[in-house]
Amino acid sequence: MTSFKQPQLAFITEGLYRIEEAYTYEWTVTNTHYKLVVPKGFETDIASVPRWAWSTFGILPDGLHRGAAILHDMLYRSNKPKGVRLKNYYFKRDILGNWENISHVLWHRENCDRLFMRVMKQAGVKPWKRWLMFKALRLFGWIGWQR
């Protein structure tokens, strides 16, 4: 069992949920610490998984992938060509240990997708399910990226 912290969600309507409290994800790359913050009230479909896949592959909206999907939704929405830029969501720890706002830095689609995979792994999503979701994202994610 994983101790990965999942976001607190409220059901709004079929396929739409709201984040009940800010959701934070932190990670480190070569001694540099980063943080993403999904704001309270952010609305998401969690993962654009067709209903038939729920029973076929067991990929339910409230599965272990939900934290990864919510972070991914926020990154796509804020970084896609026609997206609305969020402020105060992406941070890097400076040499004094303070969080520096780097929300002006754009994410490329591939980096958003790779973070999705990384977070799913940390959340304990089974390897075959991670692979399947990542491949579907790489094949069809461009649709959401272009909207």
Side-chain angles (χ1 to χ4, degrees), residues 39-57:
K40 177 181 177 178
F42 182 81
E43 294 182 359
T44 177
D45 65 357
I46 300 180
S48 302
V49 179
R51 222 176 195 1
W52 59 266
W54 293 10
S55 57
T56 306
F57 301 110

Side-chain angles (χ1 to χ4, degrees), residues 12 27 40 56-57 64 81 83 89 126 138:
I12 298 173
W27 74 103
K40 177 181 177 178
T56 306
F57 301 110
L64 292 175
Y89 77 93
K126 293 178 182 175
R138 291 306 299 158

Side-chain angles (χ1 to χ4, degrees), residues 6-45:
Q6 293 287 355
Q8 298 298 313
L9 303 172
F11 176 80
I12 298 173
T13 185
E14 181 73 27
L16 190 62
Y17 300 81
R18 181 182 311 109
I19 307 298
E20 288 293 286
E21 59 185 46
Y23 180 62
T24 301
Y25 174 73
E26 296 181 25
W27 74 103
T28 303
V29 177
T30 58
N31 296 324
T32 302
H33 304 283
Y34 297 95
K35 175 170 68 171
L36 287 172
V37 179
V38 181
K40 177 181 177 178
F42 182 81
E43 294 182 359
T44 177
D45 65 357

Side-chain angles (χ1 to χ4, degrees), residues 94-147:
D94 66 21
I95 59 172
L96 299 175
N98 300 312
W99 288 109
E100 173 190 356
N101 186 346
I102 57 170
S103 300
H104 63 278
V105 176
L106 283 175
W107 284 63
H108 296 282
R109 181 177 160 239
E110 183 177 357
N111 292 336
C112 297
D113 296 352
R114 291 196 184 287
L115 184 83
F116 177 67
M117 185 69 141
R118 173 194 195 110
V119 177
M120 282 196 300
K121 183 176 182 178
Q122 287 181 298
V125 176
K126 293 178 182 175
W128 69 267
K129 210 177 269 193
R130 284 195 314 259
W131 180 88
L132 184 67
M133 292 177 78
F134 182 75
K135 288 300 178 187
L137 184 59
R138 291 306 299 158
L139 285 171
F140 302 108
W142 64 271
I143 297 168
W145 186 260
Q146 294 301 322
R147 272 194 255 155

Side-chain angles (χ1 to χ4, degrees), residues 50-90:
R51 222 176 195 1
W52 59 266
W54 293 10
S55 57
T56 306
F57 301 110
I59 300 172
L60 303 171
D62 63 350
L64 292 175
H65 67 279
R66 70 184 176 274
I70 289 165
L71 289 163
H72 187 265
D73 278 1
M74 182 191 67
L75 288 172
Y76 258 44
R77 206 172 296 167
S78 190
N79 289 277
K80 65 185 181 178
K82 296 178 184 174
V84 176
R85 299 285 300 154
L86 292 176
K87 296 177 181 168
N88 303 318
Y89 77 93
Y90 183 32

